[in-house]
Amino acid sequence: METPVGTAPQREQAPLTAPRQSEPAGGAVRPPVRAWLQPALIALVVVAAFISCYVGLQRDPRPHQIPLAVAGPDLPGEIRQALGGAVSVHPAADAEAARSALEHHDVAAALSTDGRGGLHLETAGAVGASTTTAVKTLVGAYAHGAGREVTTEDVVPLARYDARGLAGFYMAFGVTLAGFVLGSNALGLANLLHLRHRFRLLAGTSVAIGAVAAVIAGPVLKAVPAPVVPLILTLTLLAAAAAFATKLLGTYLGPLGIPVATLVLLTVGNATSGATIGADLLPAAARTVSAVLPPGAAVRAITDLSYFNGAHAAGPVVTLAVWGAVAAILLVLRSRPKRRRTPAAA
């Protein structure tokens, strides 16, 4: 059959799309198993760690080497023999020296004789209710067995608006959370801001976080009696440590970085900070990490600045600075190879 002049021969057209053999009926692509399992497993790990830390660490607190200044000719030896490893006896020349050690936060309590055959126990409510209660219980048990009476005096009481002694913990938790949120949000700015601009964002916002938290908890609410300027510095370093550490983990670990930061900073860090339960009552493993994680270091610095004239605040402040500095250095090292490959790729 001839084709009319000016008319192109007609060809059969193949379908525009052909169903793939790997696709199930209906054309829907089945998601990989990892897409289902990873979020679920991460959520389960986080909730298990949170409950284990906060509930597990507080279910059976036991005193361990609580520092106790003891004044008296024979009293230190008697206390050491009676209480064993529950306390760490620090012999003092007299009652005044024992009290001075307590006021400088070298010990958690001071014990001396009252001159009438009884005992005089001086405590510091600022070290935490759990530690103070443990010391009272231990000394009370010794006095009962020795047939002595005990009088108790709180020589470093908590601030009026911090009756439970938790203001420092909540402030450290809030600042850590703010730094965590800041660092996680900065992860999405890699294509918008240069690294030095992201560093400026993290550093500048950390200063703002520290200032806001210190002013609200201190002069406004009067729950934290620390000097404002040192408190701002401490909280700024805490926010920066949390922000840079979160960004570091997200940069190196990818999607797993945020859950790991949650576990390290918000779960383990805050649970072992020694605020809700004294560090001297924590299990051995928790005591080991308590002072080296940012929340624990911050709580110690806040307590020392608020009640002990900053006697031992330098160590925790240095710990916070090291966290932020090391995280920043590792982020810089991570970015250098990428900058070197850019010209060659172009």
Side-chain angles (χ1 to χ4, degrees):
M1 180 178 180
E2 296 182 357
T3 302
V5 178
T7 303
Q10 296 181 356
R11 299 177 181 177
E12 293 184 1
Q13 296 182 354
L16 296 178
T17 58
R20 298 178 182 176
Q21 294 181 355
S22 60
E23 292 182 355
V29 179
R30 180 176 298 172
V33 176
R34 180 180 177 182
W36 294 89
L37 288 181
Q38 182 170 306
L41 289 177
I42 290 175
L44 291 174
V45 169
V46 169
V47 71
F50 190 93
I51 300 301
S52 298
C53 288
Y54 277 91
V55 177
L57 293 180
Q58 300 184 52
R59 70 188 182 98
D60 187 25
R62 295 185 180 183
H64 176 78
Q65 295 292 305
I66 299 178
L68 176 67
V70 181
D74 300 322
L75 193 57
E78 293 177 5
I79 294 295
R80 186 180 290 110
Q81 182 177 3
L83 302 184
V87 298
S88 174
V89 175
H90 294 239
D94 50 33
E96 184 177 351
R99 179 169 184 159
S100 178
L102 176 60
E103 293 174 339
H104 287 83
H105 207 189
D106 296 326
V107 295
L111 182 66
S112 60
T113 56
D114 61 4
R116 300 185 301 272
L119 300 174
H120 183 59
L121 177 64
E122 295 175 311
T123 63
V127 302
S130 59
T131 300
T132 300
T133 301
V135 171
K136 290 180 179 179
T137 302
L138 291 169
V139 173
Y142 162 77
H144 179 75
R148 294 184 172 187
E149 294 185 357
V150 182
T151 58
T152 304
E153 179 184 3
D154 188 354
V155 299
V156 190
L158 290 164
R160 174 185 176 187
Y161 297 107
D162 185 24
R164 297 177 61 195
L166 296 177
F169 166 74
Y170 288 124
M171 183 166 58
F173 184 90
V175 171
T176 303
L177 178 61
F180 167 81
V181 172
L182 174 63
S184 59
N185 284 329
L187 287 170
L189 301 177
N191 296 327
L192 299 176
L193 297 177
H194 191 275
L195 182 64
R196 66 174 178 272
H197 296 145
R198 279 175 277 152
F199 273 26
R200 292 172 185 172
L201 172 65
L202 295 180
T205 307
S206 295
V207 174
I209 292 172
V212 169
V215 170
I216 291 176
V220 176
L221 298 179
K222 295 180 174 57
V224 178
V228 175
V229 173
L231 184 60
I232 290 176
L233 173 62
T234 300
L235 298 180
T236 295
L237 291 175
L238 172 60
F244 280 94
T246 300
K247 180 167 173 54
L248 174 70
L249 291 171
T251 300
Y252 275 80
L253 301 181
L256 292 177
I258 298 301
V260 171
T262 302
L263 292 174
V264 173
L265 297 173
L266 301 180
T267 303
V268 178
N270 283 300
T272 61
S273 63
T276 56
I277 180 172
D280 295 314
L281 277 69
L282 292 172
R287 289 195 304 272
T288 301
V289 302
S290 176
V292 299
L293 292 180
V299 169
R300 284 164 171 75
I302 292 168
T303 300
D304 278 318
L305 290 171
S306 298
Y307 298 103
F308 300 99
N309 297 315
H312 300 284
V317 168
V318 170
T319 299
L320 296 174
V322 168
W323 267 86
V326 170
I329 291 171
L330 292 177
L331 285 169
V332 171
L333 295 177
R334 175 80 172 193
S335 69
R336 282 183 176 178
K338 294 182 179 179
R339 290 204 303 269
R340 290 175 181 173
R341 288 194 300 264
T342 300

